[in-house]
Amino acid sequence: MNDKYYIFPESKQQEAPPSPSSSPTLSEVGGKALSLIRTSALQFPVPPGFVLTVSFFQPWLEQIKQTKAWESFLSRVASADPEGSVTREDCDAIKEQCKKILKLNAEQRRYIQDAIKAAFGHDNADHLGIVAVRSSSPEEDLAGSSFAGGYDTSLGVTSAGLQDAIINSFASLFDHRIYLYKIQHGMAADAPRIAIIVQKQIASDVSGVGFSLNPNNNCFDEIVISSNFGLGESVVSGIITPDTYVVDRFDPSNMKVISKKVADKTSAIWLDEESGGTRQDPNKSPTAQALTDDEIMEVARMVADVEEKYFDGSPADIEWAFHNNTLYLLQARPVTAHVPLFPEMITERGKEKRLYLDVMVMTQGFSDPLSTLGLDIWKTSLARMKPTMSTEGFDGLMFNIHGREYMNISNMLMMTGGTAMVNTALRPNDKSLDRAFASIDLKDYTPSYVPEGCKGIFGKSIKQLLLTVPNILRGMYYGKDSMQQYVKDTNALLEH
């Protein structure tokens, strides 16, 4: 029993010589590896592999911490301005030391041999095959943080290049981008930790990413899939514009493709299955659809299953690949680039969709929730200024929840003149809001009935508008008196 490596899928543990427990912690293996271990345990088709734990790399950390480059780095981290004091050159000096002095010791080599036998078969420890080597930091791929693209990944690695690939991933722990991300997100920069994954490399025919919600419009009823031929590196690195497919999961039992954008995918990255490594070649049919319609639905079902079974319904982001008509799950992580909704605001699958507008962000320019007192003052002010807009609850135009105020756009659309109000009163006032409305079909968010709280609002609004006419005329002809009355009313409101 040791804590230096873990293998996946779990079933491999039964074939292995004495090896670690099958229940690692986040602090031992990092977010990415923990995801692979747990999703494979849930019977998702994860390619086999193993993770070298944080403890495995403790001897290397001790070596690095004895160097002058590390001492210089620490002194700058301790300065009054750690973000500005530590330069790229400081970080590169540590990375250079990693590549210069680090080697696998005899004990580490033995652990790797055992892990290879356990993950890939008893008799091929010296014949690794072709693998991918990537980082798995304890701070990586979590709901509140993402180091996407920060750490080094090596693809198409053979037995001869395994040590160098592991060292490269380890050295990227000290990359300047990683350092800045940690400082900016309140993480300890002087206590580096990393685990490293060694996983069978899939020679993908088609691959890409999938999101269990639409990150473009924050729709929880749409799955978005991006794909290209070959390895997924061309998609995640952004070297090409991938195909994009949107799947409507409004009815989980009858998902359907509602949008296809087939791009001109000029090139793809392919695995060299003979000698290892990768190559980038032009696509023979760059405008061909990378996934068939059946494959789109197969990926969509996997995305939905990962969200439900692994993330308990929270939005999921996966990397996937097809090889010889078999779909594999390569990574699964929480979606970080979306606007989370309170549970009370999320409708059940198959129920009518709802569209909300954050009034605080639109009108006040801040996104932090109000205190109970602050929200009470806000509600009172709104009720005085716009009586017809102050109806509370999900059946009205406005509602407050957990320190925030929202406008129910769906309910507005069912009012007389509601669509015109959206197009003439809301969209022209904010370019980003206009783009958001342009990306969706308002019909998808229009309820089938007029909510109780919205009945009669149009008439009340007209009445309220007519009541302002005398005040307008008074202001035009008796400006000074009107200003005095305004000050008086304002003071009365504040006192109330």
Side-chain angles (χ1 to χ4, degrees), residues 24-296:
T25 63
L26 176 67
S27 62
E28 289 179 291
V29 300
K32 193 176 295 179
L34 189 62
S35 169
L36 292 172
I37 293 169
R38 290 181 174 175
T39 51
S40 63
L42 291 170
Q43 305 304 309
F44 285 101
V46 176
F50 59 90
V51 54
L52 302 173
T53 67
V54 170
S55 176
F56 179 94
F57 293 103
Q58 193 58 38
W60 283 9
L61 283 173
E62 292 173 359
Q63 281 184 265
I64 292 301
K65 289 180 179 180
Q66 299 301 314
T67 64
K68 291 183 178 179
W70 175 257
E71 291 179 7
S72 174
F73 171 81
L74 276 187
S75 65
R76 293 180 181 272
V77 171
S79 70
D81 178 23
E83 183 173 346
S85 296
V86 176
T87 65
R88 186 178 303 277
E89 288 71 24
D90 294 321
C91 295
D92 287 347
I94 301 176
K95 292 172 66 176
E96 190 63 33
Q97 286 296 304
C98 291
K99 297 174 182 180
K100 182 178 179 180
I101 67 175
L102 296 181
K103 301 292 180 185
L104 293 168
N105 62 36
E107 184 179 38
Q108 288 173 320
R109 289 182 180 278
R110 186 175 69 252
Y111 284 131
I112 290 178
Q113 290 287 93
D114 290 344
I116 291 173
K117 290 179 182 179
F120 305 125
H122 285 288
D123 301 324
N124 66 348
D126 295 322
H127 302 283
L128 181 64
I130 299 179
V131 297
V133 177
R134 51 173 58 95
S135 70
S136 182
S137 165
E139 295 96 359
E140 186 180 20
D141 285 352
L142 307 179
S145 65
S146 172
F147 290 81
Y151 295 101
D152 281 357
T153 293
S154 298
L155 304 177
V157 178
T158 62
S159 297
L162 181 59
Q163 176 175 262
D164 287 343
I166 292 173
I167 291 173
N168 284 339
S169 284
F170 178 86
S172 66
L173 174 62
F174 303 100
D175 191 273
H176 191 244
R177 291 171 299 170
I178 299 296
Y179 169 78
L180 289 179
Y181 188 94
K182 288 183 176 181
I183 289 295
Q184 292 164 1
H185 289 77
M187 301 177 186
D190 57 354
R193 297 180 299 164
I194 196 171
I196 291 178
I197 300 164
V198 178
Q199 185 178 22
K200 179 182 177 181
Q201 178 82 65
I202 299 299
S204 312
D205 302 313
V206 184
S207 53
V209 298
F211 299 88
S212 67
L213 59 69
N214 190 332
N216 297 315
N217 60 20
N218 213 60
C219 181
F220 284 66
D221 288 321
E222 293 177 356
I223 291 171
V224 177
I225 299 166
S226 299
S227 67
N228 187 25
F229 301 105
L231 302 180
E233 184 67 15
S234 66
V235 176
V236 298
S237 65
I239 65 173
I240 54 94
T241 299
D243 289 352
T244 301
Y245 318 108
V246 180
V247 176
D248 189 326
R249 59 187 299 200
F250 179 70
D251 181 355
S253 64
N254 186 31
M255 293 195 295
K256 57 185 178 182
V257 180
I258 58 173
S259 172
K260 296 180 188 177
K261 292 183 179 179
V262 180
D264 185 2
K265 305 170 291 298
T266 53
S267 64
I269 297 175
W270 301 93
L271 180 67
D272 188 332
E273 298 184 73
E274 296 296 325
S275 57
T278 61
R279 66 182 188 277
Q280 183 174 343
D281 292 332
N283 274 329
K284 295 179 180 179
S285 302
T287 58
Q289 187 172 306
L291 288 177
T292 66
D293 287 359
D294 288 342
E295 288 172 336
I296 293 172

Side-chain angles (χ1 to χ4, degrees), residues 462-474:
I462 296 297
K463 180 180 179 180
Q464 187 67 29
L465 181 62
L466 293 175
L467 290 175
T468 64
V469 173
N471 292 329
I472 294 173
L473 294 175
R474 187 181 301 113

